[in-house]
Amino acid sequence: MTMRLLITGAQGQLGQELQACLAAGEAEIGPIDPSYADAKIDAVDFEELDISDASAVERWFATHGPYDLIINCAAITNVDGCETNEALAYAVNADGPKHLAQAAQASGAKLIHVSTDYVFAGTEPTSRTEEDAPCPISAYGRTKWAGEVLARAACDRLFIVRTAWLYGPGTKNFVHTMRRLGATHEEITVVDDQIGNPTSANDLAYEILQLAQTDGYGTYHCTNEGSCSWAEFAQAIMDGSGLSCKVIPITSKRYHELHPESADRPAYSSLENKHLTRTIGNKMRPWTEALSSYLARLGAIKEV
């Protein structure tokens, strides 16, 4: 029987990579399960389906589907923007997943909801596992955590997949920003006391599609292996892109002095893929290897 999928936030980095992997039948780290080969996919973004609007979600599910799997990639991820308009962030990041979870529960679909490392405070210098208690310190983190809680309460067939420092197709990510700055500046300043896991959207898409083949519902962390600071991440991007721009590390305190409107961010938000490892297996690559593959795909700096 043909599988039916709904991907929300389809024009975002992860949404695009999911579609690319499904079309190709493989990701960089391995083949996609053959059961996806003839899948009927509805890939929608905000213009087609505003998940914050309960009536819009009801109308969509009344006229489309039924779906076997819903993958929610839709979110407001602008951390500073969430701080200045938390109500809007809550509507998309919290109410949106709730509406999709209610629709999934009513129709018998599985739901994968993508969340973030920013649900943690980042005050402890050790990697967070799925058993650790969230304690968000920003509007973005608070609204994403609320989305997890509301989705969990509404749907039994739910996977929550937390990721971090994501990069993929398009130009709205840290890698492209650093390459653009590196091509036009001799030096830049980057925060060096925030630690996390740079993560390839291609690798994440692979693991999400693998998880969806199971009934192992619950919360999962899914990031590339290894941790670094934003400054170290930036330097790796410069080196891998053949750019001579010098990365000058600065503290979060200094950055906030320069940008007082910026939201607080976790100091140590590295995630451990503990649940992934003990269920389907953790195939996420070291972050340096995944980044090298991504930079190779981008090609010369003139393509930035």
Side-chain angles (χ1 to χ4, degrees):
M1 189 168 67
T2 301
M3 187 185 300
R4 291 187 62 96
L5 276 72
L6 172 64
I7 301 173
T8 59
Q11 293 307 306
Q13 298 179 100
L14 179 57
Q16 290 185 62
E17 282 288 28
L18 281 164
Q19 294 173 76
C21 291
L22 287 164
E26 63 179 359
E28 290 181 4
I29 55 177
I32 303 303
D33 192 286
S35 63
Y36 291 108
D38 300 313
K40 172 68 172 65
I41 303 167
D42 287 335
V44 299
D45 216 87
F46 171 80
E47 294 80 8
E48 299 146 294
L49 177 58
D50 178 3
I51 66 169
S52 71
D53 184 337
S55 296
V57 173
E58 289 178 7
R59 288 193 300 271
W60 181 273
F61 278 82
T63 56
H64 297 77
Y67 297 106
D68 300 294
L69 173 64
I70 302 162
I71 305 177
N72 180 35
C73 306
I76 293 181
T77 59
N78 182 327
V79 179
D80 295 335
C82 289
E83 210 68 28
T84 57
N85 195 342
E86 188 163 352
L88 176 61
Y90 191 95
V92 177
N93 295 345
D95 287 335
K98 177 183 71 174
H99 298 152
L100 291 174
Q102 291 169 338
Q105 185 71 7
S107 62
K110 295 179 180 181
L111 172 62
I112 293 183
H113 171 57
V114 180
S115 192
T116 174
D117 58 322
Y118 277 35
V119 301
F120 295 109
T123 54
E124 299 179 41
T126 54
S127 297
R128 300 294 85 195
T129 72
E130 295 87 350
E131 288 79 21
D132 291 319
C135 183
I137 61 173
S138 67
Y140 172 60
R142 287 190 295 271
T143 59
K144 289 296 288 182
W145 170 234
E148 291 189 21
V149 173
L150 293 172
R152 194 177 290 112
C155 184
D156 297 329
R157 296 173 298 277
L158 173 68
F159 300 87
I160 292 172
V161 179
R162 295 178 185 143
T163 193
W165 298 20
L166 196 66
Y167 61 87
T171 58
K172 293 184 178 180
N173 63 52
F174 186 77
V175 177
H176 278 268
T177 298
M178 291 301 102
R179 278 165 59 92
R180 184 174 65 252
L181 291 174
T184 56
H185 292 69
E186 292 184 0
E187 61 182 39
I188 58 171
T189 57
V190 182
V191 169
D192 73 338
D193 57 359
Q194 294 173 20
I195 307 299
N197 317 98
T199 301
S200 160
N202 189 278
D203 286 15
L204 177 61
Y206 172 86
E207 292 286 21
I208 282 175
L209 293 171
Q210 294 296 105
L211 269 179
Q213 292 296 304
T214 76
D215 295 325
Y217 307 115
T219 301
Y220 293 80
H221 290 173
C222 191
T223 64
N224 282 120
E225 290 295 305
S227 302
C228 66
S229 71
W230 285 111
E232 290 170 326
F233 188 15
Q235 188 62 63
I237 295 164
M238 300 302 176
D239 293 344
S241 301
L243 295 167
S244 59
C245 178
K246 183 178 181 181
V247 176
I248 301 175
I250 61 170
T251 65
S252 297
K253 180 180 179 181
R254 179 56 181 156
Y255 181 87
H256 191 69
E257 290 172 351
L258 296 170
H259 305 277
E261 75 286 355
S262 62
D264 290 334
R265 288 161 167 79
Y268 198 104
S269 62
S270 178
L271 301 181
E272 180 183 345
N273 301 339
K274 185 176 180 181
H275 198 185
L276 200 66
T277 300
R278 64 192 183 194
T279 53
I280 65 170
N282 176 23
K283 293 188 178 179
M284 297 295 283
R285 294 176 289 179
W287 74 264
T288 51
E289 180 182 336
L291 177 63
S292 293
S293 294
Y294 181 69
L295 293 175
R297 276 203 284 164
L298 289 181
I301 193 64
K302 65 181 180 181
E303 297 178 20
V304 174

